[in-house]
Amino acid sequence: MEPPSLDRSIGMTVYATTYEGIGGRLRVELEDFLVEEVLDGIVFKHISEQPMKQGSYVLYSLTKRGLDTLHAVKIIEKIFGARVNYLGMKDADAITTQYITIPADAECSQPSLPDRLTLRKLGYLPYPLNRSHLIGNRFHIKIREVERKENLPQLIKSIVKKGVPNYFGYQRFGSRRPVTHLIGRALVKRRFDEAVNLLLTYTTEYEKEDIQQARKTISEDYLKVDVEDLPPTLDLERQVLRSLKAQPNNYIRALRSIPLHVRRLFVNAYQSYIFNRTLSAAVEDGADLSSIHRSDLYAEVMGVKVLGVRRAEEKIDKSKVAVLLCPLVGYNFKKEDFGRLGLYASKVLLEEEVSPRSFYIDEMPELSVGGDVRAATLLLTELRAEVSEEILFLKTILGKGCYITTLLREVMKPQDPVKAGF
């Protein structure tokens, strides 16, 4: 079964299983998508009922409905007048529960929160939360309007046995406008004018009509565009256009008008695209991602928690609790460091006409990336699926950094991911 064009455009060119998907729709109602962070147990051992004398933080669970993490954090920071530490980004189209810490001296007894946010105080910690405290996420998902359910038991069994490629999901690239990796590619190739043009004018049928029209107007002559007339959601585009109007053709200056963390996301998205293509190439070639061969890089795992990176001296029995690792390429990438998957990544780089050195961007060194590693298959536990009428109830826990949409894609195999709710 061939994946849809959206999947192929972001490097997901194959499925892990041969069974037909169940179809269906996600996020018909907000309650259909429930997400809860899983914290390392060590955090709860350090909770106290009273604050320490110095350096104490309040630990809260934050539940939000129909709001993304960044907007929720901004609201809370404004109310408390203090910086919020949070662990992961959560979807807006969901009900999510995550953990945050706030300095104890900024605590207020009855914060006035909007209806979409709920805070529950859990106690005090001697330190703020950081990414190392996050183990993964627990999901309760409803897939409505299921079209086919006869293959579900075999499909789930195959997923558990073989694993699913740990693709970066649609959100990484923008499911309605998959452009972030294209901008990242242009940056890595030093095509700064192309990067700006993609940011300003690239559109798809899934964008709102007024935004499509605005991009068309920009493409005709950006110098004549009245920045204040642009739709309010085009805030990055507005910043870039102001810079270009002040200094036409100074594309590096225009790009630097974008916040640094956003610019880094573009290069990271291109790394993610190459990662997806690497896994797809390996699967297409018949490589077994659930096994670990001599010279492969792997990590021992406990549940969904990664314990440490190692190099295989010999083929490792599948019963061993371990996961194969795949490179996230950067300027430090060497194919020989990654066994089988290093070879596939190297081939993708050749096809992309970039080298590891390309990821050190001399003109914008703040965007350079050295590289990293990532599990080649989804880290998941407790995968349960039950069908009632035309609704599939799915429960699982995924390791941090793993996308639930990657798992749902394998189960549903949608022909139009956007219409299916991805």
Side-chain angles (χ1 to χ4, degrees):
M1 184 176 180
E2 186 175 350
S5 59
L6 173 58
D7 292 34
R8 299 195 302 275
S9 74
I10 58 177
M12 300 190 296
T13 61
V14 292
Y15 293 113
T17 59
T18 57
Y19 296 101
E20 192 173 16
I22 66 170
R25 289 180 61 206
L26 297 169
R27 312 177 202 265
V28 176
E29 299 178 9
L30 208 57
E31 287 74 13
D32 292 350
F33 216 94
L34 307 181
V35 188
E36 180 185 359
E37 286 184 342
V38 179
L39 278 187
D40 192 320
I42 193 67
V43 173
F44 297 103
K45 291 181 180 179
H46 292 161
I47 290 178
S48 62
E49 293 184 3
Q50 298 296 325
M52 292 72 174
K53 291 184 179 179
Q54 291 182 339
S56 193
Y57 294 81
V58 192
L59 175 66
Y60 292 96
S61 69
L62 164 66
T63 299
K64 58 184 188 60
R65 299 171 57 93
L67 194 67
D68 66 80
T69 298
L70 289 179
H71 281 92
V73 167
K74 283 182 180 179
I75 291 170
I76 294 169
E77 286 182 335
K78 186 174 181 180
I79 291 171
F80 284 87
R83 182 168 179 257
V84 171
N85 293 91
Y86 61 96
L87 304 179
M89 303 294 290
K90 299 293 180 288
D91 285 349
D93 298 326
I95 299 176
T96 68
T97 298
Q98 58 193 117
Y99 296 92
I100 65 171
T101 47
I102 297 173
D105 56 12
E107 181 183 7
C108 56
S109 57
Q110 292 183 324
S112 179
L113 295 168
D115 292 339
R116 291 190 288 176
L117 295 179
T118 302
L119 278 179
R120 184 166 68 92
K121 181 179 173 181
L122 301 176
Y124 297 91
L125 288 173
Y127 49 75
L129 289 177
N130 63 62
R131 281 282 292 172
S132 69
H133 297 129
L134 180 64
I135 300 299
N137 293 282
R138 180 179 288 107
F139 297 90
H140 291 72
I141 308 293
K142 290 181 185 177
I143 304 174
R144 298 180 186 269
E145 301 173 26
V146 169
E147 300 162 19
R148 297 167 295 273
K149 53 188 177 183
E150 58 275 3
N151 290 329
L152 184 61
Q154 298 95 322
L155 178 59
I156 296 299
K157 185 177 179 181
S158 183
I159 285 172
V160 172
K161 183 179 179 181
K162 292 178 59 180
V164 173
N166 190 21
Y167 289 129
F168 284 91
Y170 305 103
Q171 306 99 300
R172 184 71 157 184
F173 310 94
S175 54
R176 287 169 174 77
R177 184 182 177 245
V179 73
T180 54
H181 64 300
L182 301 180
I183 298 172
R185 176 196 278 151
L187 291 171
V188 168
K189 292 191 174 188
R190 280 61 167 179
R191 298 173 182 169
F192 303 114
D193 57 338
E194 180 183 332
V196 169
N197 189 57
L198 285 165
L199 174 70
L200 293 175
T201 68
Y202 185 92
T203 189
T204 72
E205 63 182 295
Y206 296 110
E207 284 201 295
K208 292 180 179 179
E209 192 172 328
D210 62 331
I211 293 179
Q212 291 186 51
Q213 183 56 49
R215 295 196 190 283
K216 183 176 183 295
T217 302
I218 293 170
S219 68
E220 291 168 354
D221 189 345
Y222 68 81
L223 290 176
K224 293 182 179 179
V225 173
D226 187 340
V227 174
E228 303 308 320
D229 286 344
L230 293 177
T233 54
L234 299 184
D235 51 344
L236 293 181
E237 289 82 352
R238 195 175 285 109
Q239 290 172 232
V240 168
L241 283 170
R242 287 195 183 106
S243 178
L244 287 174
K245 283 174 178 289
Q247 292 189 26
N249 301 323
N250 191 338
Y251 298 108
I252 290 178
R253 180 180 185 272
L255 288 164
R256 280 191 165 135
S257 71
I258 300 170
L260 178 58
H261 73 277
V262 177
R263 282 184 281 142
R264 284 176 173 162
L265 284 177
F266 296 143
V267 178
N268 293 155
Y270 186 47
Q271 287 180 292
S272 304
Y273 169 73
I274 292 173
F275 181 94
N276 283 0
R277 283 197 58 189
T278 299
L279 291 185
S280 291
V283 174
E284 286 176 345
D285 203 32
D288 182 2
L289 300 182
S290 66
S291 67
I292 297 166
H293 295 196
R294 188 175 182 273
S295 296
D296 283 345
L297 207 63
Y298 75 98
E300 294 182 348
V301 295
M302 182 173 64
V304 296
K305 184 178 181 180
V306 176
L307 300 178
V309 177
R310 301 174 183 270
R311 184 174 308 284
E313 301 295 333
E314 58 185 359
K315 187 171 181 179
I316 297 177
D317 191 300
K318 290 182 183 180
S319 64
K320 188 175 177 68
V321 184
V323 65
L324 180 67
L325 296 177
C326 181
L328 269 169
V329 297
Y331 57 78
N332 287 324
F333 169 73
K334 296 178 182 178
K335 65 180 179 181
E336 57 270 20
D337 290 344
F338 293 92
R340 292 175 296 158
L341 293 183
L343 293 173
Y344 289 109
S346 182
K347 290 178 182 177
V348 172
L349 288 177
L350 283 174
E351 292 172 3
E352 286 287 309
E353 298 181 338
V354 296
S355 69
R357 177 64 177 81
S358 302
F359 288 86
Y360 193 93
I361 306 171
D362 299 276
E363 298 85 347
M364 302 178 79
E366 68 274 19
L367 303 187
S368 302
V369 289
D372 205 345
V373 295
R374 173 180 168 87
T377 53
L378 283 177
L379 298 169
L380 63 85
T381 62
E382 302 179 18
L383 180 58
R384 300 177 186 175
E386 299 176 5
V387 179
S388 175
E389 302 278 329
E390 293 182 351
I391 301 177
L392 170 68
F393 299 86
L394 188 145
K395 300 178 182 180
T396 192
I397 295 176
L398 296 184
K400 65 180 177 183
C402 295
Y403 287 76
I404 186 64
T405 49
T406 297
L407 175 62
L408 296 171
R409 167 188 181 266
E410 193 69 38
V411 173
M412 297 167 67
K413 294 188 170 74
Q415 282 308 294
D416 189 328
V418 176
K419 288 184 179 178
F422 282 85

